Structures are given as structure tokens and as C-alpha cells.
Amino acid sequence: MNSFNEFYETWFDHLNQLVQQLSTAPKPPTTEEQHKHLDDLVSQTMTHYAEYYRVKSESVERDVFNIFTAPWASTLERSLHWITGWRPTTVFHLVYTESSIMFESNIMDILRGLKTGDLGDLSPSQFRRVSEMQCETVKEENKITSEMSAWQDGATELLTSSSDFDLMIERLVIVVHKADDLRFRTLKKMVDMLTTRQAVEFLVAAAELQFGVRLWGRNIDRSRVTA
């Protein structure tokens, strides 16, 4: 029962280490070695996320309700969950926000025609692709939300003697798998669409958001206990 809880703590600590490496790596890279180092760090980080979803998938099969209750998460984190995790469309809000912040901070260089190469310097084709991906993701997210709602609407069947409890749980597991698959696919498509430097900045911003919510949530939980 506690195996995924323990895995998550270790996984989260490792994510923190990877983000520290991403944050301190030279940007922009000026040598071939630095370019390769950034590529390797992005690859390692994505492999780390893939490992999370692999282990979570196995845990969902064993006990889907434990994944929903998420005892490893703070109350704040759980309140923000969409089907046991973050909403896939959060990726696009984050990219637009980070791009706007960096654009404003480099506005003078951009007005002089200088290319910054960061998230504030997304090309027109990149913006089009982000918009297309967002529309595609919204449709998939809404479809999965509807499936989750349908499962909840049918929960009254569990109270009847003729209900098939195992079938109901199997349907719930499938919904969670679909949600996690969309989460990881959205993350990967975004990273693949960005340049290496932009991907580094995006991954750092995404992790820092996760770190911040977790820290804030834990502080709130502590204050509730001591109040």
C-alpha cells in the first residue's frame, strides 16, 4: 500500500536534483559540449517523468482508490487534482505565462531585432503549433472528463445487488490511465516542439510550480494541525 508513497518521495527528490542541474546549466549553450549537456539533461528529465507514469500505472492497477486519495500529497495539491493529477491544459497556460514574462523582460533586445532564443522568443510557427496542440488537448481532456462523470453517475449501481463491482473498478482504472496518458503526451509534445533551451526553461518552470504548490500545501497542512 505504501510502495507508491515511498516511490513518490524518492522520485520528487530526484526531480529536484534534475531541476537544479537544468537551472545551473549554461544558457544559451555556447559550445557543442554544452549543447549536448543540455540535450542530455532534457532527456533525463523526460525519462524521469516517464518512470513516474510507469510506476503510477502499475499502482493504479493494484489500488486505484489509493491513487485518488493521494496520501503523499498535501491537501492543497489534492484540491487541484484533475483525475489524480494536474490538468494537461495547464501546460499551455504555463507556456503562455512564461513566454509573456520573458518577452517583456527582453523587450528592448527584441525591438532591436536581437534573437534571445528563450521562451519569450517563440516563432510564429511555434505559436501556431502551441495553439493547435491546446485545441487538441482541450478536446481530449473534455472527453475524459465526460467519461469520469459517467462513471460517477453510474456509482449508484454499486448499491444494487446485481452490480459488478470489479467491472466498475476496471472502468475507473481505464479513465485514470487515459488521463495520465494525456498528461505525459502533452508534456512530451510540448518539449519536442520547443528548442533545447526553451525546453529547459519550460521544464524548470513546470517543476518550480509543482515545488511551490507542494511547499505551500505542506505549510497550510502544518498550520491546520497546530491551530
Side-chain angles (χ1 to χ4, degrees), residues 64-65 151 164-174:
V64 68
F65 293 119
W151 186 89
D164 189 332
F165 182 76
D166 289 339
L167 180 60
M168 286 289 293
I169 300 308
E170 183 180 330
R171 286 174 54 201
L172 182 59
V173 166
I174 290 172

Side-chain angles (χ1 to χ4, degrees), residues 180-203:
D180 281 340
D181 176 65
L182 181 58
R183 273 186 273 267
F184 184 66
R185 280 192 293 111
T186 304
L187 182 67
K188 188 175 187 308
K189 284 193 292 186
M190 182 60 71
V191 169
D192 289 345
M193 187 275 300
L194 299 171
T195 66
T196 300
R197 179 184 175 183
Q198 290 168 344
V200 167
E201 292 166 344
F202 165 70
L203 289 171

Side-chain angles (χ1 to χ4, degrees), residues 24-199:
T24 57
K27 292 180 287 295
T30 56
T31 66
E32 185 177 339
E33 183 178 352
Q34 290 176 352
H35 275 282
K36 184 178 184 304
H37 180 57
L38 277 185
D39 283 336
D40 288 344
L41 285 176
V42 170
S43 178
Q44 289 175 39
T45 305
M46 292 306 296
T47 298
H48 190 56
Y49 278 112
E51 175 68 0
Y52 168 79
Y53 286 110
R54 183 190 68 78
V55 175
K56 184 182 176 185
S57 176
E58 294 174 354
S59 298
V60 168
E61 293 287 340
R62 288 195 299 270
D63 186 352
V64 68
F65 293 119
N66 183 57
I67 300 300
F68 266 96
T69 56
W72 56 86
S74 66
T75 307
L76 175 62
E77 289 173 289
R78 289 194 291 273
S79 75
L80 296 172
H81 279 177
W82 170 81
I83 313 181
T84 77
W86 49 272
R87 278 187 174 274
T89 45
T90 304
V91 163
F92 305 100
H93 300 308
L94 184 62
V95 167
Y96 287 133
T97 298
E98 290 297 311
S99 179
S100 177
I101 291 171
M102 292 186 181
F103 178 85
E104 291 177 4
S105 66
N106 297 320
I107 187 65
M108 296 309 297
D109 288 338
I110 294 172
L111 289 175
R112 289 199 297 268
L114 300 177
K115 302 288 288 182
T116 60
D118 57 19
L119 273 176
D121 193 24
L122 293 175
S123 68
S125 62
Q126 284 180 311
F127 269 117
R128 282 195 300 272
R129 184 58 188 135
V130 170
S131 179
E132 291 168 356
M133 288 193 297
Q134 184 176 17
C135 291
E136 294 165 1
T137 304
V138 166
K139 289 179 182 178
E140 287 196 66
E141 192 178 277
N142 288 341
K143 184 174 183 295
I144 297 170
T145 298
S146 295
E147 291 179 18
M148 185 67 208
S149 296
W151 186 89
Q152 292 171 330
D153 289 341
T156 53
E157 296 174 11
L158 295 175
L159 302 178
T160 66
S161 59
S162 61
S163 65
D164 189 332
F165 182 76
D166 289 339
L167 180 60
M168 286 289 293
I169 300 308
E170 183 180 330
R171 286 174 54 201
L172 182 59
V173 166
I174 290 172
V175 173
V176 176
H177 283 329
K178 287 182 178 181
D180 281 340
D181 176 65
L182 181 58
R183 273 186 273 267
F184 184 66
R185 280 192 293 111
T186 304
L187 182 67
K188 188 175 187 308
K189 284 193 292 186
M190 182 60 71
V191 169
D192 289 345
M193 187 275 300
L194 299 171
T195 66
T196 300
R197 179 184 175 183
Q198 290 168 344

